[in-house]
Amino acid sequence: MAHPDWKVRQLLAEAQPNITSEQWSRLILGERNERYRWILTLLAADRREQLTEAACAQLAADSSARVREETVRLHGLPAELLIALAGDADPSVRASACRAAWPHLEGPARTALLDDPDGRVRVRALLRYHQDHPMPRSVLDSGDLGNEANDALRDCHLERALARHLAEHGDAAQRRLLAANPHLDPDLVLRLAQDPEESVRFEVSKRPDLTEEQRAGIDFDFDPGAHCRPLDWVRALHDDPDAMRRLAASSHPLVRRSVARARRLPPDVVARLSRDEDRVVQLFLAESCDDAPAEMLLRVWQWWTGSLSTPDRPTDIRTSPAETCSATPRTRTRGCVDWPWTIRNRQTNSSNGSPGTATRKYGTGRPPTGG
C-alpha cells in the first residue's frame, strides 16, 4: 500500500481480494495525485468495496468532480452523502447521484432534479421518476430522453399500452431491451419468450422472475465461448444456500456460471458444479470459490491456457492437491510443475511451504498471470 511505484499500488487495488475497509480508505486517501485517487475510487466502486464512513465523507467532498462522481458508486454509501452529491455543484455528479439518491430525497429535491438546468440531470431524474410512475408513450415519443431512451425501455415502468405496443410492434432491438425490463407483466414476458428473434428469447431466459421450468422451455442457442458477465440477481443470492442449490441445477449455462462465481458454496453445490458439462462453469469455480476441489483444479489446468481473473483463488490450503492427490512424496515436496500458479501459490503461502520450495515452484511451470 505504501509502495513508491504507482503501478504496484494500482495492481494491489485491482487484484488483492482481502483488503479491509480501513486499508482501502488509507490507500485511496493517501493518493495526492488526483488521477490516481480517481482510479482507485473507480476500482473500489467496481469491486463493490465498502470504505469507512469518514473516507466516504472525505471523497464526497473531494476537490475533483470525477472523484466525487465515482464516490456515488461506492457500496454502502450513507444516505446523507448521496443526498449531498445529488445537490453537487457539478452536473456530472448530480446526474450520477440521481438514481441512488432518489429514494432518500424529499419532494422539493426531486423536483429540483427534474427541472435541473442540465439536460443530463433532467433525463436521469425523469428515468428514475418513471421507475415508480408508469411512463406513457408520449414521453418516449417526445425525444426528450435522447440517447437514454434505451434505458427507459430496459429499466422504467412502462404503461401497459406502451409495453404491449413495443412487444408486438417494436423492432428487434427494442424488444430485446424490453425483455430485460423488471416491470414487465408476466403475459408479455411469456410472449417475448416465444419471440421470433433469438436474441430476444435469450434476454428473456436471463430474467430472475422465471421458474427454472419456464427458463428451460425457452429455445435459444448458447455460444459457450462468448464473453459473459455474472448475472447480478444470481450474485445477490450468493449467500443463500437454498438458492444456490436450486440455481446450480438450472438448465441455463449462464445461471450456473453465475453460481460458480460465489466465494463460498455448500459442498453438494460444489460437487455438482465441479462436474458441470460446461467447462467454463468449472473454470469460474476454480477462479472464484474457496471450496473448489483439488482434483477439479488440476483438471481445469490441463485445458485452460488463458489468464486467471482472480489469480489468488482458491486460498483454503486444506483442499490443496498436495494433501489429496496421489502424487509421490518427492512431487509433493518439490511442487507439481504443471499445477496452475494459483495452486502453487496456495502451497507457497501456507505454513507447509519453505522458501526453497517457493523458489522452485515459481521457477518452474507457468508464471503467475493477472486477469
Side-chain angles (χ1 to χ4, degrees), residues 210-232:
L210 296 178
T211 67
E212 289 308 312
E213 291 75 20
Q214 289 173 326
R215 204 183 313 279
I218 300 176
D219 180 29
F220 64 89
D221 290 327
F222 182 77
D223 179 4
H227 176 74
C228 61
R229 292 177 57 85
L231 298 171
D232 289 340

Side-chain angles (χ1 to χ4, degrees), residues 194-209:
Q194 305 297 323
D195 194 276
E197 179 67 35
E198 183 181 0
S199 63
V200 175
R201 300 196 302 272
F202 179 68
E203 196 63 45
V204 175
S205 75
K206 299 186 292 182
R207 292 180 64 95
D209 52 357

